Amino acid sequence: MTQKTFIFMIKRTLPHPDSTRSQSICKSHLSASILLGLTAFIAPAYADSVGAEEYREPAAAVDVNAPIAALAKLTSLNNVKPLQVTVPTIEHFKTTAGVPVSFVRATTLPIVDIDLRFNAGSARDGNIRANGFGIANMTATMLTQGTESLNEDDFTRAVETLGIDLNSSAYKDMFIVSLRSLSDDAHLLPAIDLMTQMLTQSNFDQSILARNKARLLVGLQQQKQDPNSLASLAFDNALYGSHPYAHPSSGTLETVPSIEKKDLTDFQNRYLVAANASLAMTGNLTLAQAKKIAEDITTNLPIGKAANALPEPKPLTQAKNIHIPFPSSQTTVLMGQLGSKRATDPQAQQQQTNFAIGNEVLAGGNFNARLMTEIRQNLGYTYGISGSMSPMLTRGPYQIGFSTRNDKARDAIDASLTVINDTLDNGINNDEMRLTTDNMKNSFPMSFASNAGINGLLGMMNFYQLPDNYLTDYMARIENVKLSGVNQTMRDTLNPDKFLIVTVGQDDPWQTKTIKSE
């Protein structure tokens, strides 16, 4: 999902359909191989370049109210039928071990995508050992670094020989083991064998663990030179306090050196179990084949117990400003509050859709969004500003991020809060709502444009135990939005008077405020 240099992110799984952006914030890693699962950091989105501005026709040369002559000749547009969306048929079953499985048959490509999720993210680190931050992340990293039957080199060679994509990752809420393979038996069956070896014959070699910790510590040191990482870490810590979401998934400089093989084994035995798992599969398989593969993957998993529910975080009772000194010409700004948890009932899902529409108007990453229009285009404070909600098992964060010149930081913050408050006080208008709902409806079919996209949705829905109508009723939820409902949901959700605002830059914007020139 926070992300570094304000790339606006993907969660490594496809976001829920009610999110109008690619989900909260992109995941990035300090090292492509070793830091797999390293916590991501939210950062402001920068424009690729100013080229688009430089090549824009002068405003005076364009009559924006004039009709586009070419469209008048496209008579075919008069016969366009309403968009019809066919949602993939989802098959549900359980394995002998009790693991719920969602399966979609897709025969267009000879590919199979498999997504095995455990309720076992870094929020569970502290349950293995006090201050054991980084245990889930290190477990995910080492699952692909050798088994009892294959050492690291042999395992890597087997993966490369088959041409498969086999990964494991730890996030705050979930632990994911994923596989993509060609669907013929010569590729898929040995790929399944490697996947099951990862899960049931883990080696956690001591020498590899020592190497991983050394590399991870270097990466964590490098974070201190990244203002976006510093902002994200400080934001999570201040927003969540003693809650398990507060610590970074990758661990810290203080906790990583203490991680031992026993910690990884204990984590696997406690959380990577059948009672704590859900499985999604999409691809060129029959239902019978899918059931056989699901059994092969889960039959040797320990039954175990489902993870306990996470505690609910407590919202801040008043506004809080944090400044971190950093030698740079720009100030990174991250502001927000506690957001919502993943909606599981129809009423809450409708509210989630209402907010997604309102937030796209307010803080979407496109140039029509109010924050982008005012803070970038009108005031010229930043190349990009946007915000998103990241719903999780418990209340995830709502964050708005951008960066600006040091001497403009306070002005940019104040201007952003003004736009937010004006939107809450006066609401969005009907034209803005319709433009957004049309975009959401027309882009929705792209969720099914690939096997991976379908499987990401299946995995998310299965993990959060969402019914199929979460997907099938998506268009209906958009059609059901009312302008009054969108505006009321925005007011009920956002409270900028109690925002947490983190700044990272050379000057503390809370100590000095640049006087605007006349």
Side-chain angles (χ1 to χ4, degrees), residues 24-91:
S24 2
I25 298 162
C26 244
K27 295 279 176 187
S28 76
H29 305 281
L30 296 179
S31 162
S33 58
I34 298 304
L35 304 186
L36 186 62
L38 185 62
T39 253
F41 306 97
I42 293 190
Y46 292 98
D48 291 336
S49 70
V50 295
E53 304 290 341
E54 295 169 348
Y55 288 101
R56 182 179 298 166
E57 188 99 19
V62 178
D63 182 358
V64 296
N65 296 313
I68 301 175
L71 292 181
K73 299 180 180 180
L74 296 177
T75 56
S76 60
L77 292 177
N78 299 326
N79 301 319
V80 173
K81 297 180 180 180
L83 178 67
Q84 298 293 325
V85 179
T86 301
V87 176
T89 300
I90 305 174
E91 302 278 359

Coordinates of all heavy atoms in Angstrom, one line a residue, residues 24-91:
S24 N -4.1 2.3 -1.2 CA -3.5 3.2 -0.3 C -2.1 3.3 -0.6 O -1.7 3.2 -0.8 CB -3.5 2.6 1.0 OG -3.9 1.6 1.1
I25 N -1.3 3.1 -1.1 CA 0.0 3.4 -1.0 C 0.9 2.3 -1.3 O 0.8 1.2 -0.8 CB 0.3 3.9 0.4 CG1 -0.6 5.1 0.6 CG2 1.7 4.2 0.7 CD1 -0.8 5.5 1.9
C26 N 1.9 2.5 -2.2 CA 2.7 1.4 -2.8 C 3.6 0.8 -1.8 O 4.1 1.5 -1.0 CB 3.5 1.9 -3.9 SG 3.1 1.3 -5.5
K27 N 3.8 -0.5 -1.9 CA 4.8 -1.2 -1.1 C 6.2 -1.1 -1.8 O 6.3 -1.4 -2.9 CB 4.4 -2.6 -0.9 CG 3.1 -2.7 -0.1 CD 3.3 -2.6 1.3 CE 2.1 -2.6 2.1 NZ 2.2 -2.3 3.4
S28 N 7.2 -0.8 -1.0 CA 8.5 -0.8 -1.6 C 9.5 -1.5 -0.7 O 9.2 -1.6 0.5 CB 9.0 0.6 -2.0 OG 9.4 1.2 -0.8
H29 N 10.6 -1.9 -1.1 CA 11.5 -2.7 -0.3 C 12.9 -2.1 -0.4 O 13.3 -1.7 -1.4 CB 11.5 -4.2 -0.7 CG 10.1 -4.7 -0.7 ND1 9.5 -5.1 0.4 CD2 9.2 -4.9 -1.7 CE1 8.3 -5.6 0.1 NE2 8.1 -5.4 -1.2
L30 N 13.6 -2.2 0.7 CA 15.0 -1.7 0.7 C 15.9 -2.6 0.0 O 16.9 -2.1 -0.5 CB 15.4 -1.5 2.2 CG 14.6 -0.5 3.0 CD1 15.1 -0.4 4.4 CD2 14.7 0.8 2.3
S31 N 15.5 -3.8 -0.2 CA 16.3 -4.7 -1.0 C 15.4 -5.6 -1.7 O 14.5 -6.2 -1.1 CB 17.3 -5.5 -0.2 OG 17.8 -6.6 -0.9
A32 N 15.6 -5.8 -3.0 CA 14.6 -6.6 -3.8 C 14.5 -8.0 -3.3 O 13.5 -8.6 -3.3 CB 15.0 -6.6 -5.2
S33 N 15.6 -8.6 -2.8 CA 15.6 -10.0 -2.4 C 15.4 -10.2 -0.9 O 14.6 -10.9 -0.4 CB 16.8 -10.7 -2.9 OG 18.0 -10.1 -2.4
I34 N 16.2 -9.5 -0.1 CA 16.3 -9.7 1.3 C 15.2 -9.0 2.0 O 14.7 -9.5 3.0 CB 17.6 -9.3 1.9 CG1 18.7 -10.1 1.2 CG2 17.7 -9.5 3.4 CD1 18.5 -11.6 1.4
L35 N 14.8 -7.8 1.6 CA 13.8 -7.0 2.3 C 12.4 -7.3 1.9 O 11.6 -6.4 2.0 CB 14.2 -5.6 2.3 CG 15.6 -5.3 2.7 CD1 15.9 -3.8 2.8 CD2 15.9 -5.9 4.1
L36 N 12.2 -8.4 1.3 CA 10.8 -8.8 0.9 C 9.9 -8.6 2.0 O 10.0 -9.2 3.1 CB 10.8 -10.2 0.4 CG 9.5 -10.7 -0.3 CD1 9.2 -9.9 -1.5 CD2 9.6 -12.2 -0.6
G37 N 8.9 -7.8 1.8 CA 7.9 -7.5 2.9 C 8.2 -6.4 3.7 O 7.6 -6.1 4.7
L38 N 9.3 -5.7 3.4 CA 9.7 -4.5 4.2 C 8.6 -3.5 4.2 O 8.1 -3.2 3.2 CB 11.0 -3.9 3.7 CG 11.6 -2.8 4.5 CD1 12.0 -3.2 5.9 CD2 12.8 -2.2 3.8
T39 N 8.4 -2.9 5.3 CA 7.3 -1.9 5.5 C 7.4 -0.8 4.4 O 8.4 -0.3 4.2 CB 7.3 -1.4 6.9 OG1 6.2 -1.9 7.6 CG2 7.2 0.1 6.9
A40 N 6.2 -0.4 3.9 CA 6.2 0.6 2.9 C 5.9 1.9 3.6 O 5.3 2.0 4.6 CB 5.1 0.3 1.9
F41 N 6.2 3.0 2.8 CA 6.1 4.3 3.4 C 5.4 5.2 2.5 O 5.7 5.3 1.3 CB 7.4 4.9 3.8 CG 8.2 4.0 4.6 CD1 9.2 3.2 4.1 CD2 8.0 3.9 6.0 CE1 9.9 2.3 4.9 CE2 8.7 3.1 6.8 CZ 9.6 2.3 6.2
I42 N 4.4 6.0 3.0 CA 3.7 6.9 2.1 C 4.4 8.1 1.8 O 5.0 8.7 2.7 CB 2.4 7.2 2.8 CG1 1.5 6.0 2.9 CG2 1.7 8.3 2.1 CD1 0.2 6.3 3.4
A43 N 4.4 8.5 0.6 CA 5.1 9.7 0.3 C 4.3 10.5 -0.8 O 3.5 9.9 -1.4 CB 6.4 9.4 -0.3
P44 N 4.6 11.8 -0.9 CA 3.8 12.6 -1.8 C 4.1 12.2 -3.3 O 5.2 11.9 -3.6 CB 4.2 14.0 -1.5 CG 5.3 13.9 -0.6 CD 5.6 12.4 -0.2
A45 N 3.1 12.3 -4.1 CA 3.3 12.0 -5.5 C 3.9 13.2 -6.2 O 3.4 14.2 -6.2 CB 2.0 11.6 -6.1
Y46 N 5.0 12.9 -6.9 CA 5.6 14.0 -7.7 C 5.2 13.8 -9.2 O 5.0 12.7 -9.7 CB 7.1 13.9 -7.6 CG 7.7 14.2 -6.3 CD1 8.0 13.2 -5.4 CD2 7.9 15.5 -5.9 CE1 8.6 13.5 -4.2 CE2 8.4 15.8 -4.7 CZ 8.7 14.8 -3.8 OH 9.3 15.1 -2.6
A47 N 5.0 14.9 -9.8 CA 4.7 14.9 -11.3 C 6.0 14.3 -11.9 O 7.1 14.6 -11.5 CB 4.4 16.2 -11.8
D48 N 5.8 13.6 -13.0 CA 7.0 13.0 -13.7 C 7.9 14.2 -14.2 O 9.1 14.1 -14.2 CB 6.5 12.2 -14.9 CG 5.9 10.9 -14.5 OD1 6.1 10.5 -13.4 OD2 5.1 10.4 -15.2
S49 N 7.3 15.2 -14.7 CA 8.1 16.4 -15.1 C 7.2 17.5 -15.3 O 6.0 17.4 -15.2 CB 8.8 16.0 -16.5 OG 7.8 16.0 -17.5
V50 N 7.7 18.7 -15.6 CA 6.9 19.8 -15.9 C 6.6 19.9 -17.4 O 6.0 20.9 -17.9 CB 7.6 21.1 -15.5 CG1 7.7 21.1 -14.0 CG2 8.9 21.3 -16.2
G51 N 6.9 18.9 -18.1 CA 6.8 18.9 -19.6 C 5.3 19.1 -20.0 O 5.0 19.9 -20.9
A52 N 4.4 18.5 -19.2 CA 3.0 18.6 -19.6 C 2.6 20.1 -19.5 O 1.8 20.6 -20.3 CB 2.1 17.8 -18.7
E53 N 3.1 20.8 -18.5 CA 2.8 22.2 -18.4 C 3.4 23.0 -19.5 O 2.8 23.9 -20.1 CB 3.3 22.7 -17.0 CG 2.8 22.0 -15.8 CD 1.3 22.2 -15.6 OE1 0.8 23.2 -16.1 OE2 0.7 21.4 -14.9
E54 N 4.6 22.7 -19.9 CA 5.4 23.5 -20.9 C 4.8 23.4 -22.3 O 4.8 24.3 -23.1 CB 6.8 23.0 -20.9 CG 7.6 23.3 -19.6 CD 8.9 22.6 -19.6 OE1 9.2 21.7 -20.5 OE2 9.7 22.9 -18.7
Y55 N 4.2 22.2 -22.6 CA 3.6 22.0 -23.9 C 2.1 22.3 -24.0 O 1.5 22.1 -25.0 CB 3.9 20.6 -24.4 CG 5.3 20.3 -24.7 CD1 6.2 19.7 -23.8 CD2 5.9 20.8 -25.9 CE1 7.5 19.5 -24.0 CE2 7.2 20.6 -26.1 CZ 8.0 19.9 -25.2 OH 9.4 19.7 -25.5
R56 N 1.6 22.8 -22.9 CA 0.2 23.1 -22.9 C -0.1 24.3 -23.7 O 0.6 25.3 -23.6 CB -0.3 23.3 -21.5 CG -1.8 23.6 -21.4 CD -2.3 23.7 -19.9 NE -2.0 22.5 -19.2 CZ -2.0 22.4 -17.9 NH1 -2.2 23.5 -17.2 NH2 -1.8 21.3 -17.3
E57 N -1.2 24.3 -24.5 CA -1.5 25.5 -25.3 C -1.9 26.6 -24.4 O -2.6 26.4 -23.4 CB -2.7 25.1 -26.2 CG -3.1 26.2 -27.2 CD -2.5 25.8 -28.6 OE1 -2.2 24.7 -28.8 OE2 -2.4 26.8 -29.4
P58 N -1.6 27.8 -24.7 CA -2.0 29.0 -23.9 C -3.5 29.0 -23.7 O -4.2 28.7 -24.7 CB -1.5 30.2 -24.7 CG -0.4 29.7 -25.5 CD -0.7 28.3 -25.8
A59 N -4.0 29.3 -22.6 CA -5.4 29.3 -22.3 C -6.2 30.1 -23.3 O -7.3 29.8 -23.7 CB -5.7 29.7 -20.9
A60 N -5.6 31.3 -23.6 CA -6.4 32.2 -24.5 C -6.6 31.6 -25.9 O -7.5 32.0 -26.6 CB -5.6 33.5 -24.6
A61 N -5.8 30.6 -26.3 CA -5.9 30.0 -27.6 C -7.0 29.0 -27.7 O -7.2 28.4 -28.8 CB -4.6 29.5 -28.1
V62 N -7.6 28.6 -26.6 CA -8.5 27.5 -26.6 C -9.9 28.0 -26.1 O -9.9 28.5 -25.0 CB -8.0 26.3 -25.8 CG1 -9.0 25.2 -25.8 CG2 -6.7 25.8 -26.4
D63 N -10.9 27.8 -26.8 CA -12.3 28.1 -26.3 C -12.8 26.8 -25.6 O -13.3 25.9 -26.3 CB -13.2 28.5 -27.4 CG -14.6 28.9 -26.9 OD1 -14.8 28.7 -25.7 OD2 -15.4 29.3 -27.7
V64 N -12.7 26.7 -24.3 CA -13.1 25.5 -23.6 C -14.6 25.2 -23.7 O -15.0 24.1 -23.4 CB -12.6 25.5 -22.2 CG1 -11.1 25.6 -22.1 CG2 -13.3 26.7 -21.4
N65 N -15.4 26.2 -24.1 CA -16.8 26.0 -24.1 C -17.3 25.6 -25.5 O -18.4 25.3 -25.7 CB -17.5 27.3 -23.7 CG -17.2 27.7 -22.3 OD1 -17.3 26.8 -21.4 ND2 -16.9 28.9 -22.0
A66 N -16.4 25.7 -26.5 CA -16.8 25.3 -27.8 C -16.9 23.8 -28.0 O -16.2 23.1 -27.4 CB -15.7 25.8 -28.8
P67 N -17.9 23.3 -28.8 CA -18.0 21.9 -29.0 C -16.9 21.3 -29.8 O -16.2 22.1 -30.6 CB -19.3 21.8 -29.8 CG -19.5 23.1 -30.5 CD -18.9 24.1 -29.5
I68 N -16.6 20.1 -29.6 CA -15.5 19.5 -30.3 C -16.1 19.0 -31.6 O -16.9 18.1 -31.7 CB -14.9 18.3 -29.5 CG1 -14.4 18.8 -28.2 CG2 -13.8 17.6 -30.3 CD1 -13.9 17.7 -27.3
A69 N -15.7 19.6 -32.7 CA -16.3 19.4 -34.0 C -16.3 18.0 -34.5 O -17.2 17.4 -35.0 CB -15.7 20.3 -35.1
A70 N -15.1 17.3 -34.2 CA -15.0 15.9 -34.7 C -16.0 15.0 -34.1 O -16.5 14.1 -34.7 CB -13.5 15.4 -34.3
L71 N -16.4 15.3 -32.8 CA -17.3 14.4 -32.2 C -18.7 14.4 -32.8 O -19.4 13.4 -32.8 CB -17.5 14.7 -30.7 CG -16.2 14.5 -29.8 CD1 -16.5 14.9 -28.4 CD2 -15.8 13.0 -29.9
A72 N -19.0 15.5 -33.4 CA -20.3 15.6 -34.0 C -20.5 14.7 -35.2 O -21.6 14.3 -35.6 CB -20.5 17.1 -34.5
K73 N -19.4 14.2 -35.8 CA -19.4 13.3 -36.9 C -19.3 11.9 -36.5 O -19.5 11.0 -37.3 CB -18.2 13.6 -37.8 CG -18.2 15.1 -38.4 CD -17.1 15.4 -39.3 CE -17.1 16.8 -39.9 NZ -15.9 17.1 -40.8
L74 N -19.1 11.6 -35.2 CA -19.0 10.2 -34.8 C -20.4 9.8 -34.4 O -20.8 9.7 -33.2 CB -18.1 10.1 -33.6 CG -16.6 10.4 -33.9 CD1 -15.8 10.4 -32.6 CD2 -16.1 9.5 -34.9
T75 N -21.2 9.5 -35.4 CA -22.6 9.1 -35.1 C -22.7 7.8 -34.3 O -23.8 7.6 -33.7 CB -23.4 9.0 -36.4 OG1 -22.7 8.0 -37.3 CG2 -23.4 10.3 -37.2
S76 N -21.7 7.0 -34.4 CA -21.7 5.7 -33.6 C -21.9 6.0 -32.1 O -22.4 5.1 -31.4 CB -20.4 4.9 -33.9 OG -19.3 5.7 -33.5
L77 N -21.4 7.2 -31.7 CA -21.6 7.5 -30.2 C -23.0 7.5 -29.8 O -23.4 7.3 -28.6 CB -20.9 8.8 -29.9 CG -19.4 8.8 -30.0 CD1 -18.9 10.2 -29.7 CD2 -18.7 7.8 -29.1
N78 N -23.9 7.8 -30.8 CA -25.3 7.9 -30.4 C -25.9 6.5 -30.1 O -27.0 6.4 -29.6 CB -26.1 8.5 -31.6 CG -25.6 10.0 -31.8 OD1 -25.2 10.7 -30.9 ND2 -25.7 10.4 -33.1
N79 N -25.2 5.5 -30.6 CA -25.8 4.1 -30.4 C -25.1 3.3 -29.3 O -25.3 2.1 -29.2 CB -25.7 3.4 -31.7 CG -26.4 4.1 -32.8 OD1 -27.5 4.6 -32.6 ND2 -25.8 4.1 -34.0
V80 N -24.2 4.0 -28.6 CA -23.5 3.3 -27.5 C -24.5 2.8 -26.4 O -25.3 3.5 -25.9 CB -22.4 4.2 -26.9 CG1 -21.8 3.5 -25.7 CG2 -21.4 4.5 -27.9
K81 N -24.4 1.5 -26.1 CA -25.3 0.9 -25.1 C -24.7 1.1 -23.7 O -23.5 1.3 -23.6 CB -25.5 -0.6 -25.4 CG -26.2 -0.8 -26.8 CD -26.3 -2.3 -27.0 CE -27.0 -2.6 -28.3 NZ -27.2 -4.1 -28.6
P82 N -25.6 1.1 -22.7 CA -25.1 1.2 -21.4 C -24.1 0.1 -21.0 O -24.2 -1.0 -21.6 CB -26.4 1.0 -20.5 CG -27.5 1.4 -21.4 CD -27.1 1.0 -22.8
L83 N -23.1 0.4 -20.2 CA -22.1 -0.6 -19.9 C -22.7 -1.8 -19.1 O -23.4 -1.6 -18.2 CB -21.0 0.1 -18.9 CG -19.9 -0.7 -18.4 CD1 -19.0 -1.2 -19.6 CD2 -19.1 0.0 -17.4
Q84 N -22.3 -2.9 -19.6 CA -22.8 -4.2 -19.0 C -21.5 -4.9 -18.4 O -20.6 -5.1 -19.2 CB -23.5 -5.1 -20.0 CG -24.8 -4.5 -20.5 CD -25.9 -4.3 -19.5 OE1 -26.0 -5.2 -18.6 NE2 -26.6 -3.3 -19.6
V85 N -21.5 -5.2 -17.2 CA -20.4 -5.8 -16.5 C -20.7 -7.2 -16.1 O -21.7 -7.5 -15.4 CB -19.9 -5.0 -15.3 CG1 -18.7 -5.7 -14.7 CG2 -19.5 -3.6 -15.7
T86 N -19.9 -8.2 -16.6 CA -20.1 -9.6 -16.2 C -19.0 -9.9 -15.1 O -17.8 -10.0 -15.5 CB -20.0 -10.5 -17.4 OG1 -21.0 -10.1 -18.3 CG2 -20.3 -12.0 -16.9
V87 N -19.4 -10.2 -13.9 CA -18.5 -10.5 -12.9 C -18.1 -12.0 -13.0 O -19.0 -12.8 -13.2 CB -19.1 -10.2 -11.5 CG1 -18.2 -10.7 -10.4 CG2 -19.4 -8.7 -11.4
P88 N -16.9 -12.3 -12.8 CA -16.5 -13.8 -12.9 C -17.3 -14.6 -12.0 O -17.6 -14.2 -10.8 CB -15.0 -13.7 -12.6 CG -14.6 -12.4 -12.9 CD -15.7 -11.5 -12.6
T89 N -17.6 -15.8 -12.4 CA -18.2 -16.8 -11.5 C -17.2 -17.4 -10.5 O -16.2 -17.9 -10.9 CB -18.8 -18.0 -12.3 OG1 -19.8 -17.4 -13.3 CG2 -19.5 -19.0 -11.4
I90 N -17.6 -17.3 -9.2 CA -16.7 -17.7 -8.2 C -17.2 -19.0 -7.6 O -18.4 -19.1 -7.2 CB -16.6 -16.7 -7.1 CG1 -16.2 -15.3 -7.6 CG2 -15.6 -17.1 -6.0 CD1 -16.2 -14.2 -6.6
E91 N -16.3 -20.0 -7.6 CA -16.7 -21.3 -6.9 C -16.1 -21.3 -5.5 O -14.9 -20.9 -5.3 CB -16.1 -22.5 -7.7 CG -16.5 -22.5 -9.2 CD -17.9 -23.2 -9.3 OE1 -18.4 -23.7 -8.3 OE2 -18.4 -23.3 -10.4

